[in-house]
Amino acid sequence: MNTSRAAVITGAASEKGIGLAVARRFARDGWAIVVLDIDGAAAVAAAERICAEHGVPAVGLGVDVADEASVGAAERAVSAEVQAGRLPAVGAVVNNAGITSPVEFLDTTLDLWRRVLDVNATGTYLVTKAFLPPMLDQGWGRIVNMSSVSAQRGGGVFGKVPYSSAKAAVLGFTKSLARELGPTGVTVNAVTPGAVDTEIRVGSTPEQEALIASAIPVGRTATTDEVASAIAYLCSEESAYLTGVTLDINGGSHLH
């Protein structure tokens, strides 16, 4: 149990999403939880359920991770909860919020390109920058960034060019920040899930789903709980010597 620390998880309000699975896993492990999501009402509801189910402090806040003012407001709200003693200090940030772009390249628009990069890459930058200082002050912290197998193999799962580009930017950000923060006690790692059973693939046909599964050596897509367990490990005490790591969670679909 780790009730002395809180975990901030973005994009964590969707019932079928990886973020909520991560929040629930952390709560089972005893962390206090901060749910950040573009849907503020859903974030509050998710936090209330987590608190009721697991008996840990939990706060839900609406935030647009691509907007600096919105992220800053969320950080100040969390800091106020910490100072009031309603939350322990933040010890982990999981940058999970993201959107995809299953659009052929010549059909993309500049607005789509910017939005996908803003949410996936700029959001990771803004949230990390906002919540990093307290972890540096403590000399302990864990940052886990959500990338994708699409960043490594150039799409081929569900997202296309803007999504793959944004998730590749997340990998570069992770490695560079891990190197910079090396001696501070704060580790920075990334996970690259392959196909996962989440709402991000809503709209895909049964035929597409069967084709995706057939190309995975283990013969199926991942569950959100399987991704959450890997993220929980990267935020544990036992992972202290792992930083700048890209952890593949793809059932063998991308071997390299």
Side-chain angles (χ1 to χ4, degrees):
M1 299 289 281
N2 197 358
T3 52
S4 63
R5 296 185 180 118
V8 175
I9 304 146
T10 68
S14 175
E15 190 60 39
K16 284 195 68 177
I18 292 171
L20 184 55
V22 171
R24 284 173 167 155
R25 170 57 189 262
F26 273 58
R28 288 199 301 272
D29 290 346
W31 292 72
I33 303 299
V34 178
V35 174
L36 300 184
D37 200 276
I38 190 71
D39 186 337
V44 171
E48 289 175 347
R49 290 199 305 274
I50 289 167
C51 180
E53 292 169 359
H54 302 285
V56 298
V59 172
L61 297 168
V63 62
D64 179 354
V65 298
D67 181 82
E68 186 173 18
S70 181
V71 172
E75 189 280 326
R76 289 190 295 275
V78 171
S79 292
E81 293 292 305
V82 173
Q83 290 168 9
R86 291 186 290 268
L87 278 178
V90 172
V93 173
V94 179
N95 287 301
N96 168 75
I99 57 174
T100 189
S101 59
V103 179
E104 298 294 332
F105 178 67
L106 289 179
D107 294 327
T108 61
T109 63
L110 184 57
D111 284 344
L112 173 65
W113 170 267
R114 285 173 171 163
R115 185 59 182 163
V116 173
L117 268 290
D118 280 350
V119 173
N120 291 283
T122 303
T124 296
Y125 160 78
L126 289 173
V127 173
T128 300
K129 189 176 182 184
F131 288 96
L132 176 61
M135 292 190 284
L136 291 175
D137 291 342
Q138 298 167 67
W140 196 99
R142 301 287 185 263
I143 298 167
V144 178
N145 300 321
M146 182 65 66
S147 184
S148 169
V149 68
S150 292
Q152 298 167 309
R153 54 184 286 176
V157 178
F158 195 65
K160 291 189 181 291
V161 173
Y163 182 74
S164 295
S165 301
K167 291 303 190 181
V170 168
L171 292 183
F173 174 87
T174 299
K175 293 177 182 180
S176 182
L177 187 59
R179 187 179 296 277
E180 183 173 325
L181 299 183
T184 67
V186 178
T187 64
V188 189
N189 294 294
V191 292
T192 49
V196 185
D197 184 20
T198 70
E199 79 289 341
I200 205 168
R201 297 209 322 273
V202 169
S204 63
T205 66
E207 292 77 15
Q208 288 172 321
E209 291 298 308
L211 183 62
I212 289 171
S214 69
I216 301 172
V218 301
R220 63 174 179 83
T221 58
T223 68
T224 55
D225 286 341
E226 287 170 326
V227 179
S229 67
I231 292 172
Y233 171 68
L234 290 175
C235 291
S236 69
E237 296 282 358
E238 289 80 4
S239 68
Y241 204 62
L242 297 179
T243 196
V245 165
T246 299
L247 183 58
D248 295 335
I249 314 169
N250 58 46
S253 65
H254 182 65
L255 303 172
H256 59 97

